[in-house]
Amino acid sequence: MRVVAGSAALGRRLVRPVVTVGSFDGIHLGHRSILDTVVTRARARDGTATVVTFDPHPRKVLAPDRAPRLLSTREQRLEWIAEAGIDVTIVEPFTEAFARTPPERFVRDYLHAGLSPVEVYVGYDFRFGRDREGSMRLLTELGPRLGFAVTIIPEVTIDGEDVNSTRIRELVAEGDVGTSARLLGRPYTIRGRVVEGDRRGRTLGFPTLNLDPENELLPAPGVYAGRARFLDGAGSAAWLGAVTNVGRRPTFAAGERIVCETHLLEFEGDAYGRRVELQFLS
């Protein structure tokens, strides 16, 4: 997958782009429904399956005090988009100036003139332009006039509930990693680097990896069964059973800092400084 740092850096025109636009935090089953449709239509038209997403998340700019803790890092998001079969992802820098773009100008100048899509697919809750004024009605009316079809992808539901990033964040924050996995289509996953702790676990017979998480959201304090793998060095990509504690360590230290400590089953060696991917299963 080609990753482009903003539409201004796109260069050559895309061939018959089939486009979707969104934040896509977590790449859950609702997102996958959109991405799968885009890929299928692009292949049918010998076109380019294209995603437009934003960095940082729009609410980090528009309402930083109310911005959500994100489910995925940029790295994770791009990897999962690539796994869906997307050809090109444009990561648009989201700035205050970009946020002031009037909705009609976003459709005419950014989508039509900038990308020349043949088809556009968006989720049922998609809003765009200044103050999120852009509606589905505006998009579905303007698109055909400008020469591209617009299709709204309906919500995906599981057990009668919509699959969306807000609901998944709530589940993870509550520690319900089983239900969140069903909505994500995969276990909730974080990444981070192993940092040096106090080495007390090693003296007790079960050495732990102290993880400095790259993700913003950790599950609720508790002990979780899961699995982990190293992202670099020897033995990378092999999954190992893991028991992870998220929380404080009142036995050994006072304070409010939340820590993430993982004991890897069947692992011996020095992991300090290595990057780890950790999944929470139950």
Side-chain angles (χ1 to χ4, degrees):
M1 182 180 75
R2 179 186 172 204
V3 178
V4 181
S7 56
L10 192 57
R12 65 183 184 277
R13 285 281 181 176
L14 300 176
V15 176
R16 291 180 292 281
V18 177
V19 175
T20 185
V21 185
S23 296
F24 297 107
D25 181 35
I27 311 296
H28 53 61
L29 292 180
H31 295 142
R32 281 301 303 260
S33 175
I34 300 171
L35 297 176
D36 291 347
T37 301
V38 166
V39 170
T40 298
R41 291 300 303 152
R43 300 295 178 265
R45 300 198 62 159
D46 290 326
T48 306
T50 306
V51 165
V52 176
T53 189
F54 306 103
D55 189 55
H57 189 285
R59 280 160 66 185
K60 299 282 189 186
V61 175
L62 300 175
D65 56 329
R66 301 193 305 276
R69 288 180 293 167
L70 300 182
L71 295 165
S72 54
T73 65
R74 170 173 163 152
E75 178 186 59
Q76 288 175 312
R77 189 166 37 131
L78 292 175
E79 286 183 12
W80 293 329
I81 289 173
E83 287 174 6
I86 294 296
D87 300 310
V88 174
T89 293
I90 301 168
V91 182
E92 198 65 44
F94 195 89
T95 63
E96 291 184 359
F98 186 82
R100 291 193 292 269
T101 305
E104 185 166 335
R105 183 177 161 195
F106 175 82
V107 177
R108 290 184 181 278
D109 294 354
Y110 186 87
L111 281 181
H112 172 59
L115 302 181
S116 300
V118 292
E119 298 177 12
V120 171
Y121 293 85
V122 292
Y124 69 99
D125 57 352
F126 179 66
R127 305 287 294 187
F128 59 96
R130 182 182 54 211
D131 297 327
R132 292 171 54 85
E133 293 171 349
S135 65
M136 295 298 186
R137 179 176 179 180
L138 175 63
L139 186 60
T140 54
E141 287 179 354
L142 270 182
R145 277 193 245 158
L146 295 171
F148 60 87
V150 176
T151 300
I152 310 302
I153 303 296
E155 67 269 32
V156 171
T157 61
I158 292 180
D159 295 335
E161 290 198 44
D162 292 352
V163 176
N164 59 68
S165 297
T166 299
R167 175 62 178 145
I168 296 169
R169 290 185 196 108
E170 292 171 352
L171 290 167
V172 172
E174 293 166 0
D176 189 351
V177 295
T179 304
S180 67
R182 290 170 53 216
L183 274 58
L184 285 166
R186 81 183 83 79
Y188 183 62
T189 305
I190 68 170
R191 291 178 176 178
R193 194 169 297 279
V194 178
V195 295
E196 189 159 352
D198 54 24
R199 297 178 178 260
R200 190 172 277 111
R202 189 172 302 277
T203 65
L204 297 175
F206 44 93
T208 58
L209 308 184
N210 295 277
L211 200 64
D212 182 16
E214 298 166 5
N215 295 69
E216 297 179 2
L217 180 62
L218 288 176
V223 179
Y224 297 87
R227 62 179 191 163
R229 64 177 179 174
F230 292 105
L231 296 172
D232 53 21
S236 62
W239 288 102
L240 301 169
V243 179
T244 298
N245 176 67
V246 177
R248 301 174 182 85
R249 296 183 294 172
T251 302
F252 300 116
E256 297 300 312
R257 190 171 71 89
I258 298 295
V259 297
C260 181
E261 299 177 313
T262 297
H263 170 61
L264 295 185
L265 308 179
E266 301 180 357
F267 171 77
E268 294 182 3
D270 187 356
Y272 293 119
R274 297 183 66 177
R275 290 184 74 224
V276 172
E277 183 169 65
L278 174 63
Q279 294 185 338
F280 296 86
L281 300 182
S282 63

